[in-house]
Amino acid sequence: MSTESPPPLFERMLGMLEPAQLLAWAMSHYIRVCSEAVFQNGQLFAPITQTRRLRDEAFGRFWIEFTSPRQMSSDPTNTEIPEPVGSSALIPPLLRTATGTVLDIGPGTGTQMPLLTSPSITALYGAEPCISLHSTLRATAAAAGIASKYHILPSGVAASDLLPALRATNTGVVDQYDADPRAGIFDTILCVRVLCSVPEMERTVKELYGMLKPGGRLLVTEHVVNPWKRAKGSLLGRIVQGVYQVLGWSYFIGDCCLDRDTERVLRGVADVDGGWESVELESAFEWSAMPYISGTLVKKMV
Protein backbone atom coordinates (compact mmCIF):
# COMPACT_ATOMS: atom_id res chain seq x y z
CA MET A 1 0.00 0.00 0.00
CA SER A 2 1.04 3.63 -0.41
CA THR A 3 1.11 6.25 2.31
CA GLU A 4 2.47 8.94 -0.02
CA SER A 5 0.49 12.05 -0.92
CA PRO A 6 0.84 13.37 -4.49
CA PRO A 7 2.87 16.58 -4.87
CA PRO A 8 1.37 19.81 -6.24
CA LEU A 9 0.23 19.80 -9.87
CA PHE A 10 3.28 21.64 -11.22
CA GLU A 11 5.67 19.13 -9.62
CA ARG A 12 3.60 16.25 -10.98
CA MET A 13 3.87 17.68 -14.50
CA LEU A 14 7.63 18.05 -14.14
CA GLY A 15 7.79 14.46 -12.89
CA MET A 16 6.17 13.29 -16.11
CA LEU A 17 9.15 14.75 -18.00
CA GLU A 18 11.83 12.95 -15.97
CA PRO A 19 11.85 9.87 -18.25
CA ALA A 20 12.24 12.18 -21.26
CA GLN A 21 15.50 13.48 -19.83
CA LEU A 22 16.80 9.95 -19.31
CA LEU A 23 15.70 8.90 -22.80
CA ALA A 24 17.45 11.87 -24.44
CA TRP A 25 20.58 11.14 -22.40
CA ALA A 26 20.64 7.48 -23.47
CA MET A 27 19.93 8.38 -27.11
CA SER A 28 22.90 10.78 -27.14
CA HIS A 29 25.20 7.95 -26.10
CA TYR A 30 23.80 5.68 -28.81
CA ILE A 31 24.31 8.34 -31.49
CA ARG A 32 27.87 8.89 -30.27
CA VAL A 33 28.70 5.17 -30.30
CA CYS A 34 27.28 4.75 -33.80
CA SER A 35 29.23 7.79 -35.01
CA GLU A 36 32.47 6.40 -33.59
CA ALA A 37 31.88 3.07 -35.31
CA VAL A 38 31.27 4.72 -38.68
CA PHE A 39 33.66 7.68 -38.71
CA GLN A 40 36.49 6.57 -36.40
CA ASN A 41 36.56 2.82 -36.99
CA GLY A 42 35.40 2.79 -40.61
CA GLN A 43 32.57 0.33 -39.87
CA LEU A 44 30.11 1.89 -42.28
CA PHE A 45 27.38 -0.69 -41.82
CA ALA A 46 27.83 -1.31 -38.09
CA PRO A 47 24.61 0.57 -37.12
CA ILE A 48 22.74 -1.96 -39.27
CA THR A 49 24.76 -5.17 -38.87
CA GLN A 50 25.99 -4.76 -35.27
CA THR A 51 22.97 -3.15 -33.66
CA ARG A 52 23.03 -5.31 -30.51
CA ARG A 53 26.70 -4.63 -29.82
CA LEU A 54 26.33 -0.90 -30.29
CA ARG A 55 23.23 -0.76 -28.14
CA ASP A 56 25.00 -2.63 -25.33
CA GLU A 57 28.05 -0.38 -25.52
CA ALA A 58 25.95 2.78 -25.55
CA PHE A 59 23.81 1.62 -22.65
CA GLY A 60 26.93 0.66 -20.68
CA ARG A 61 28.32 4.17 -21.09
CA PHE A 62 24.99 5.73 -20.17
CA TRP A 63 24.59 3.55 -17.09
CA ILE A 64 28.10 4.27 -15.82
CA GLU A 65 27.40 7.98 -16.15
CA PHE A 66 23.88 7.78 -14.74
CA THR A 67 24.86 5.76 -11.67
CA SER A 68 27.93 7.84 -10.80
CA PRO A 69 27.17 9.37 -7.38
CA ARG A 70 28.61 12.70 -8.45
CA GLN A 71 27.28 12.88 -12.00
CA MET A 72 24.98 15.77 -11.09
CA SER A 73 27.65 17.76 -9.25
CA SER A 74 28.98 20.91 -10.89
CA ASP A 75 32.05 20.91 -8.62
CA PRO A 76 34.59 18.26 -9.72
CA THR A 77 36.48 18.64 -6.43
CA ASN A 78 33.45 17.63 -4.39
CA THR A 79 34.03 14.02 -3.33
CA GLU A 80 31.11 13.78 -0.93
CA ILE A 81 28.46 11.31 -2.03
CA PRO A 82 25.07 13.04 -1.85
CA GLU A 83 22.20 11.71 0.19
CA PRO A 84 19.90 9.63 -2.06
CA VAL A 85 16.69 11.31 -3.11
CA GLY A 86 13.56 10.23 -4.92
CA SER A 87 13.37 6.55 -5.79
CA SER A 88 17.03 6.10 -4.83
CA ALA A 89 16.09 6.72 -1.19
CA LEU A 90 14.08 3.48 -1.22
CA ILE A 91 17.19 1.35 -1.75
CA PRO A 92 19.55 1.76 1.26
CA PRO A 93 17.23 0.63 4.08
CA LEU A 94 16.24 -2.41 2.05
CA LEU A 95 19.69 -3.60 0.98
CA ARG A 96 21.15 -3.23 4.44
CA THR A 97 18.98 -6.18 5.50
CA ALA A 98 20.68 -8.61 3.06
CA THR A 99 22.27 -11.66 4.69
CA GLY A 100 23.90 -15.00 3.86
CA THR A 101 24.56 -16.02 0.26
CA VAL A 102 23.31 -13.15 -1.89
CA LEU A 103 22.45 -12.89 -5.59
CA ASP A 104 22.69 -9.34 -6.91
CA ILE A 105 20.83 -9.16 -10.22
CA GLY A 106 22.15 -6.64 -12.73
CA PRO A 107 24.55 -4.80 -10.38
CA GLY A 108 25.72 -2.53 -13.20
CA THR A 109 28.67 -0.48 -11.96
CA GLY A 110 28.23 -1.60 -8.34
CA THR A 111 26.68 1.62 -7.06
CA GLN A 112 24.96 -0.36 -4.32
CA MET A 113 28.17 -2.07 -3.16
CA PRO A 114 28.69 0.15 -0.07
CA LEU A 115 25.33 -1.13 1.22
CA LEU A 116 26.47 -4.75 0.97
CA THR A 117 29.51 -4.82 3.24
CA SER A 118 27.83 -6.37 6.29
CA PRO A 119 29.68 -9.33 7.86
CA SER A 120 26.34 -11.16 7.83
CA ILE A 121 26.75 -11.49 4.05
CA THR A 122 28.95 -14.52 3.45
CA ALA A 123 29.10 -14.44 -0.36
CA LEU A 124 27.88 -12.18 -3.16
CA TYR A 125 27.18 -13.19 -6.75
CA GLY A 126 26.60 -10.37 -9.24
CA ALA A 127 24.86 -11.48 -12.44
CA GLU A 128 25.76 -8.77 -14.96
CA PRO A 129 25.39 -9.60 -18.69
CA CYS A 130 26.82 -6.25 -19.84
CA ILE A 131 30.51 -7.16 -20.10
CA SER A 132 31.58 -3.55 -20.57
CA LEU A 133 30.55 -2.85 -16.96
CA HIS A 134 32.66 -5.64 -15.42
CA SER A 135 35.89 -3.70 -14.97
CA THR A 136 34.08 -0.92 -13.12
CA LEU A 137 32.15 -3.46 -11.06
CA ARG A 138 35.38 -5.26 -10.14
CA ALA A 139 37.03 -2.01 -9.08
CA THR A 140 34.02 -1.03 -7.00
CA ALA A 141 34.06 -4.34 -5.16
CA ALA A 142 37.75 -3.86 -4.38
CA ALA A 143 37.17 -0.31 -3.14
CA ALA A 144 34.37 -1.55 -0.87
CA GLY A 145 36.68 -4.21 0.59
CA ILE A 146 34.54 -7.15 -0.51
CA ALA A 147 36.41 -8.33 -3.61
CA SER A 148 37.23 -11.66 -1.95
CA LYS A 149 33.58 -12.59 -1.59
CA TYR A 150 32.14 -10.87 -4.67
CA HIS A 151 31.86 -13.09 -7.75
CA ILE A 152 30.97 -11.49 -11.09
CA LEU A 153 28.82 -13.70 -13.29
CA PRO A 154 28.87 -12.85 -17.02
CA SER A 155 25.27 -13.94 -17.45
CA GLY A 156 21.64 -12.98 -17.33
CA VAL A 157 19.33 -14.35 -14.66
CA ALA A 158 17.52 -17.01 -16.66
CA ALA A 159 18.37 -20.36 -15.07
CA SER A 160 19.86 -21.62 -18.34
CA ASP A 161 22.48 -18.83 -18.14
CA LEU A 162 22.81 -18.34 -14.40
CA LEU A 163 23.34 -21.92 -13.22
CA PRO A 164 26.30 -22.64 -15.57
CA ALA A 165 27.87 -19.33 -14.55
CA LEU A 166 27.48 -20.21 -10.87
CA ARG A 167 29.07 -23.63 -11.43
CA ALA A 168 31.96 -21.98 -13.26
CA THR A 169 32.90 -20.07 -10.08
CA ASN A 170 33.94 -23.40 -8.49
CA THR A 171 32.67 -22.17 -5.12
CA GLY A 172 30.30 -25.10 -4.63
CA VAL A 173 27.37 -22.72 -4.27
CA VAL A 174 25.06 -24.93 -6.37
CA ASP A 175 26.14 -28.34 -5.03
CA GLN A 176 23.25 -28.72 -2.62
CA TYR A 177 20.78 -27.36 -5.18
CA ASP A 178 21.98 -29.86 -7.79
CA ALA A 179 21.41 -32.69 -5.31
CA ASP A 180 17.97 -31.38 -4.25
CA PRO A 181 16.48 -28.31 -6.03
CA ARG A 182 14.11 -27.77 -3.09
CA ALA A 183 17.14 -26.74 -1.02
CA GLY A 184 17.57 -23.57 -3.07
CA ILE A 185 20.79 -21.61 -3.46
CA PHE A 186 20.42 -18.09 -2.08
CA ASP A 187 19.42 -16.64 1.28
CA THR A 188 18.78 -13.25 -0.32
CA ILE A 189 18.07 -12.17 -3.89
CA LEU A 190 18.30 -8.47 -4.77
CA CYS A 191 16.06 -7.07 -7.50
CA VAL A 192 16.80 -3.36 -7.85
CA ARG A 193 15.67 -1.64 -11.06
CA VAL A 194 16.30 -4.80 -13.05
CA LEU A 195 13.09 -6.81 -13.53
CA CYS A 196 11.94 -4.10 -15.92
CA SER A 197 14.48 -5.32 -18.46
CA VAL A 198 14.89 -9.08 -18.04
CA PRO A 199 13.49 -11.13 -20.94
CA GLU A 200 10.43 -13.27 -20.19
CA MET A 201 10.02 -11.73 -16.75
CA GLU A 202 7.37 -14.15 -15.46
CA ARG A 203 9.47 -17.22 -16.26
CA THR A 204 12.60 -15.56 -14.88
CA VAL A 205 10.93 -14.64 -11.59
CA LYS A 206 9.64 -18.21 -11.22
CA GLU A 207 13.19 -19.50 -11.70
CA LEU A 208 14.55 -17.02 -9.16
CA TYR A 209 11.88 -18.09 -6.69
CA GLY A 210 13.06 -21.68 -7.13
CA MET A 211 16.63 -20.63 -6.31
CA LEU A 212 15.60 -19.04 -3.03
CA LYS A 213 16.23 -21.20 0.01
CA PRO A 214 13.21 -21.94 2.21
CA GLY A 215 12.91 -18.88 4.44
CA GLY A 216 14.95 -16.88 1.92
CA ARG A 217 14.05 -13.31 1.08
CA LEU A 218 13.53 -11.43 -2.17
CA LEU A 219 14.38 -7.74 -1.72
CA VAL A 220 12.72 -5.61 -4.37
CA THR A 221 12.86 -1.99 -5.53
CA GLU A 222 11.37 -1.79 -9.01
CA HIS A 223 9.54 0.73 -11.15
CA VAL A 224 6.28 -0.69 -12.45
CA VAL A 225 3.27 0.01 -14.64
CA ASN A 226 1.23 2.88 -13.27
CA PRO A 227 -1.65 1.48 -11.17
CA TRP A 228 -4.02 4.02 -12.69
CA LYS A 229 -7.16 2.26 -11.45
CA ARG A 230 -6.13 2.78 -7.83
CA ALA A 231 -7.10 5.89 -5.91
CA LYS A 232 -3.55 7.26 -5.93
CA GLY A 233 -2.68 6.04 -9.43
CA SER A 234 -2.69 8.28 -12.50
CA LEU A 235 -4.28 7.72 -15.89
CA LEU A 236 -2.03 10.44 -17.28
CA GLY A 237 0.99 8.65 -15.84
CA ARG A 238 -0.10 5.45 -17.58
CA ILE A 239 -0.57 7.25 -20.90
CA VAL A 240 2.82 8.92 -20.62
CA GLN A 241 4.44 5.52 -20.00
CA GLY A 242 2.97 4.30 -23.28
CA VAL A 243 4.22 7.38 -25.12
CA TYR A 244 7.79 6.84 -23.92
CA GLN A 245 7.64 3.19 -24.94
CA VAL A 246 6.62 4.22 -28.47
CA LEU A 247 9.46 6.78 -28.59
CA GLY A 248 12.03 4.03 -28.09
CA TRP A 249 12.49 3.76 -24.33
CA SER A 250 13.16 0.01 -24.42
CA TYR A 251 15.47 0.26 -27.42
CA PHE A 252 17.79 2.89 -25.98
CA ILE A 253 17.62 2.00 -22.27
CA GLY A 254 18.78 -1.59 -22.07
CA ASP A 255 15.45 -3.28 -22.99
CA CYS A 256 13.79 -1.61 -19.99
CA CYS A 257 9.96 -1.62 -20.03
CA LEU A 258 7.98 1.07 -18.22
CA ASP A 259 4.71 -0.86 -18.32
CA ARG A 260 5.38 -4.19 -16.59
CA ASP A 261 2.98 -5.37 -13.88
CA THR A 262 5.87 -6.61 -11.76
CA GLU A 263 3.95 -6.66 -8.48
CA ARG A 264 1.36 -9.07 -9.86
CA VAL A 265 4.08 -11.43 -11.07
CA LEU A 266 6.00 -11.29 -7.80
CA ARG A 267 2.94 -11.99 -5.68
CA GLY A 268 1.73 -14.82 -7.89
CA VAL A 269 4.98 -16.71 -8.35
CA ALA A 270 4.74 -18.37 -4.93
CA ASP A 271 1.24 -19.76 -5.52
CA VAL A 272 2.80 -23.15 -6.25
CA ASP A 273 3.72 -23.33 -2.54
CA GLY A 274 0.53 -21.74 -1.25
CA GLY A 275 1.89 -18.22 -1.38
CA TRP A 276 4.72 -16.35 0.32
CA GLU A 277 5.31 -16.61 4.05
CA SER A 278 5.03 -12.81 4.13
CA VAL A 279 4.84 -9.93 1.67
CA GLU A 280 5.72 -6.40 2.73
CA LEU A 281 5.58 -4.15 -0.33
CA GLU A 282 5.11 -0.39 -0.30
CA SER A 283 4.14 1.70 -3.32
CA ALA A 284 5.66 5.09 -4.10
CA PHE A 285 5.26 7.79 -6.76
CA GLU A 286 1.98 6.29 -8.00
CA TRP A 287 1.10 9.69 -9.46
CA SER A 288 4.06 9.58 -11.87
CA ALA A 289 5.29 7.91 -15.04
CA MET A 290 7.75 5.90 -12.92
CA PRO A 291 5.88 4.51 -9.90
CA TYR A 292 7.81 2.11 -7.65
CA ILE A 293 7.24 -0.86 -5.40
CA SER A 294 9.74 -1.61 -2.65
CA GLY A 295 9.94 -4.23 0.07
CA THR A 296 10.52 -7.85 1.08
CA LEU A 297 8.95 -11.16 0.12
CA VAL A 298 9.79 -14.18 2.30
CA LYS A 299 9.60 -17.75 1.02
CA LYS A 300 7.82 -20.33 3.12
CA MET A 301 9.84 -22.88 5.02
CA VAL A 302 9.48 -26.45 3.79
Side-chain angles (χ1 to χ4, degrees):
M1 69 181 290
S2 172
T3 57
E4 176 193 43
S5 297
L9 178 61
F10 181 71
E11 290 184 32
R12 294 204 301 273
M13 294 302 100
L14 287 179
M16 296 295 177
L17 296 176
E18 180 184 0
Q21 296 174 316
L22 298 178
L23 180 58
W25 193 355
M27 288 174 67
S28 70
H29 278 285
Y30 182 74
I31 292 170
R32 193 173 305 132
V33 165
C34 288
S35 298
E36 290 173 2
V38 173
F39 298 110
Q40 291 184 16
N41 303 328
Q43 300 171 332
L44 299 182
F45 299 104
I48 299 173
T49 61
Q50 301 179 43
T51 303
R52 181 77 258 181
R53 180 182 67 81
L54 297 181
R55 284 178 60 197
D56 287 346
E57 183 177 344
F59 177 70
R61 293 187 190 183
F62 161 74
W63 197 248
I64 288 173
E65 201 171 284
F66 172 69
T67 56
S68 171
R70 292 178 294 278
Q71 55 92 5
M72 296 299 292
S73 175
S74 59
D75 180 5
T77 65
N78 179 18
T79 58
E80 182 178 348
I81 297 176
E83 192 71 21
V85 296
S87 60
S88 295
L90 302 171
I91 301 171
L94 189 69
L95 265 57
R96 289 192 180 106
T97 68
T99 59
T101 302
V102 178
L103 174 65
D104 189 6
I105 301 173
T109 58
T111 307
Q112 299 154 187
M113 208 84 74
L115 304 172
L116 301 172
T117 57
S118 169
S120 62
I121 296 176
T122 55
L124 276 157
Y125 295 85
E128 178 50 67
C130 190
I131 306 299
S132 63
L133 299 179
H134 284 194
S135 59
T136 304
L137 183 58
R138 195 172 293 109
T140 306
I146 58 174
S148 62
K149 62 179 178 181
Y150 198 96
H151 308 275
I152 301 175
L153 308 175
S155 75
V157 292
S160 58
D161 291 333
L162 184 59
L163 290 174
L166 286 168
R167 293 187 183 103
T169 64
N170 296 316
T171 59
V173 68
V174 295
D175 290 351
Q176 192 173 2
Y177 176 83
D178 285 339
D180 180 7
R182 294 173 300 176
I185 300 172
F186 302 104
D187 300 289
T188 308
I189 296 179
L190 311 179
C191 298
V192 178
R193 294 172 174 162
V194 67
L195 294 180
C196 58
S197 59
V198 298
E200 299 182 74
M201 181 185 67
E202 193 157 353
R203 188 194 71 180
T204 298
V205 173
K206 286 180 180 178
E207 292 175 345
L208 289 173
Y209 175 80
M211 295 182 208
L212 263 183
K213 293 179 182 178
R217 296 176 305 137
L218 191 64
L219 307 184
V220 177
T221 298
E222 295 283 350
H223 68 78
V224 296
V225 65
N226 191 288
W228 63 275
K229 293 183 180 180
R230 295 183 192 170
K232 293 186 178 180
S234 167
L235 177 58
L236 177 60
R238 180 66 188 94
I239 292 172
V240 170
Q241 286 182 322
V243 170
Y244 286 128
Q245 285 293 131
V246 171
L247 291 176
W249 178 272
S250 295
Y251 186 89
F252 293 107
I253 304 189
D255 298 318
C256 172
C257 296
L258 287 171
D259 52 2
R260 284 188 171 176
D261 193 354
T262 306
E263 181 174 356
R264 176 189 61 80
V265 173
L266 287 170
R267 288 182 178 273
V269 75
D271 287 347
V272 65
D273 293 325
W276 295 91
E277 180 67 30
S278 65
V279 176
E280 297 179 3
L281 290 177
E282 292 285 337
S283 299
F285 313 112
E286 290 182 303
W287 51 268
S288 74
M290 294 190 77
Y292 272 77
I293 57 170
S294 184
T296 304
L297 301 94
V298 181
K299 189 173 183 177
K300 285 184 176 180
M301 297 294 293
V302 176

